[in-house]
Amino acid sequence: MTQDSQLPLPGSHGEHRVQEAMGTSDRASRFYRDQMLDHLNPMMREFIAQQEMLFIATADAGGECDSSFRAGPPGFVHVIDDRLLAFPEFRGNGVFASVGNVTENPHIGLMFLDFERERIGLHVNGRVRIMVDAELRPRVPGLPEPQVPGQKALAWMVVEVEEAYIHCRKHIPHLRKVGAEESWGTDDTLRKGGDFFGSKKQNEERRNAPVGRR
C-alpha cells in the first residue's frame, strides 16, 4: 500500500528480515513507496479487464499452499470497483482446493501476466469472500455470464484488494496467441488432456501391486 514515513511497511516480518540480511532494505522500501497501492488505479483496472488468464495462490488454516490457474474471455475477472474484483468458480475437477482453502484462510494472491501485448505483470493480494451467483449478480451490474453453453458459476471469489503492484517484464516471455482450439470448454476427458502425466495409470498399478511392493 502507499506509505509515508509514519506508516508501517507493507509485507511480512519475514521478508523484512531477509531484506536486512541481503542488504536490500532501502531498495525494497523504494519499491513499497513508489509501486505499491492499496487499491486498483484506473490503469490496473483496464489491464485486468483485458486479461484472459489468472494465477492464484491460497493456503489452508495450517499454511499448506496451493496454486491454481483460471482462464476465460477478457473480462472474466470482473473489476467491481477500485477495491473489489470477482472471478467465477466452475465445477472443474470437483476438488475445489482454492475455495476450500479460503474457507479456512481468506488470504489470496493473484498474478495477472500479459505474455502477448504489454509483457507485464500485476500482483493483487487481498482477502476473499465466497458468494453464490444468485447472491452476487443482483448486486453487481455487468457481472459476466459464462461463455460456454451450459456452464454455470457455482460460486464467485470476491476479492477485497489490499495490495496491488507491478511485476516487471524483464523475464516475461513474449508469446503469440494462435486462436481458440475447438476443445475450449469441452468436458470430454481425452480432449481435456486425459491422463497426460500418467498419474491414473501409476496409481492403478500401485493399488493392484502386492502389499509388500507398494
Side-chain angles (χ1 to χ4, degrees):
M1 57 187 72
T2 52
Q3 301 290 316
D4 64 32
S5 59
Q6 303 303 311
L7 294 177
L9 290 174
S12 68
H13 295 303
E15 69 187 69
H16 300 155
R17 288 195 296 269
V18 173
Q19 291 160 12
E20 292 177 5
M22 298 294 184
T24 65
S25 296
D26 289 343
R27 183 181 178 90
S29 295
R30 287 194 299 273
F31 183 85
Y32 294 148
R33 182 189 66 222
D34 296 341
Q35 294 296 336
M36 293 190 74
L37 299 177
D38 61 359
H39 63 280
L40 302 172
N41 68 19
M43 293 183 68
M44 291 173 175
R45 294 172 67 172
E46 181 180 358
F47 179 82
I48 292 171
Q50 296 172 350
Q51 302 312 303
E52 299 178 55
M53 65 181 72
L54 167 66
F55 300 89
I56 68 176
T58 59
D60 65 16
E64 296 291 334
C65 299
D66 181 77
S67 61
S68 195
F69 173 75
R70 300 290 184 272
F76 85 100
V77 179
H78 185 70
V79 179
I80 299 172
D81 57 37
D82 65 349
R83 294 184 184 272
L84 287 175
L85 58 80
F87 60 90
E89 288 291 324
F90 300 113
R91 185 190 63 186
N93 58 16
V95 174
F96 290 107
S98 302
V99 177
N101 280 347
V102 300
T103 64
E104 300 181 11
N105 176 355
H107 296 279
I108 193 168
L110 312 180
M111 168 67 86
F112 298 90
L113 286 172
D114 184 346
F115 297 99
E116 182 185 3
R117 296 177 296 272
E118 304 295 341
R119 286 183 51 247
I120 205 75
L122 175 65
H123 295 262
V124 179
N125 298 326
R127 290 174 178 260
V128 180
R129 180 165 48 135
I130 301 169
M131 299 182 71
V132 298
D133 189 86
E135 179 185 9
L136 182 63
R137 192 166 295 279
R139 304 183 186 187
V140 181
L143 193 69
E145 296 281 357
Q147 297 296 302
V148 177
Q151 193 177 52
K152 180 182 179 181
L154 301 183
W156 287 82
M157 297 273 227
V158 182
V159 180
E160 180 180 0
V161 177
E162 296 180 336
E163 297 177 343
Y165 55 94
I166 192 172
H167 187 97
C168 80
R169 64 167 52 100
K170 184 176 180 181
H171 296 297
I172 297 177
H174 188 189
L175 305 181
R176 184 170 299 168
K177 193 173 180 180
V178 296
E181 298 290 337
E182 291 181 3
S183 58
W184 174 266
T186 183
D187 208 27
D188 180 271
T189 301
L190 290 178
R191 294 172 73 188
K192 288 191 297 183
D195 191 26
F196 184 86
F197 292 105
S199 301
K200 181 179 179 181
K201 180 180 179 181
Q202 185 174 350
N203 281 326
E204 287 177 346
E205 290 173 348
R206 290 179 62 190
R207 286 192 294 267
N208 294 329
V211 174
R213 298 178 58 187
R214 293 181 184 178

